[in-house]
Amino acid sequence: MNPLVEFCISNLAKGAQETYEILEKDPNIDVLEYGCLSYCTLCDQTFYALVNGDIVEADTPEELTKKIYQYIEENPLF
């Protein structure tokens, strides 16, 4: 079972698409996008994704990518 990373389409349009595209190429991560994840205030203020159900946020798409990989490494599924 791979880690699951979920994105809001509005956050993708804001710039998180860069992170999405990098993670989508990783065969060890499952990536999904939704119309809304119901974190509208957070979505408006920062870049974020849900990683295995937990919020990971950052100031830039590059930082978000790093933080997601770091989160996955520090919180293995098994």
Side-chain angles (χ1 to χ4, degrees), residues 2-76:
N2 292 333
L4 176 63
V5 181
E6 301 166 281
F7 289 91
C8 170
I9 198 164
S10 295
N11 207 253
L12 291 174
K14 183 179 169 188
Q17 182 71 29
E18 179 181 322
T19 299
Y20 179 92
E21 290 173 2
I22 291 168
L23 297 177
E24 190 176 42
K25 293 176 186 173
D26 189 327
N28 297 312
I29 298 175
D30 293 330
V31 183
L32 294 174
E33 66 178 73
Y34 293 96
C36 182
L37 291 172
S38 299
Y39 293 97
C40 299
T41 303
L42 182 64
C43 189
D44 187 52
Q45 297 174 357
T46 190
F47 297 102
Y48 85 101
L50 293 181
V51 183
N52 297 328
D54 294 329
I55 296 172
V56 174
E57 58 184 291
D59 294 328
T60 66
E62 296 83 8
E63 183 184 5
L64 181 60
T65 304
K66 282 183 186 178
K67 285 187 170 187
I68 290 171
Y69 275 112
Q70 181 179 0
Y71 179 90
I72 291 169
E73 185 177 314
E74 293 174 358
N75 300 281

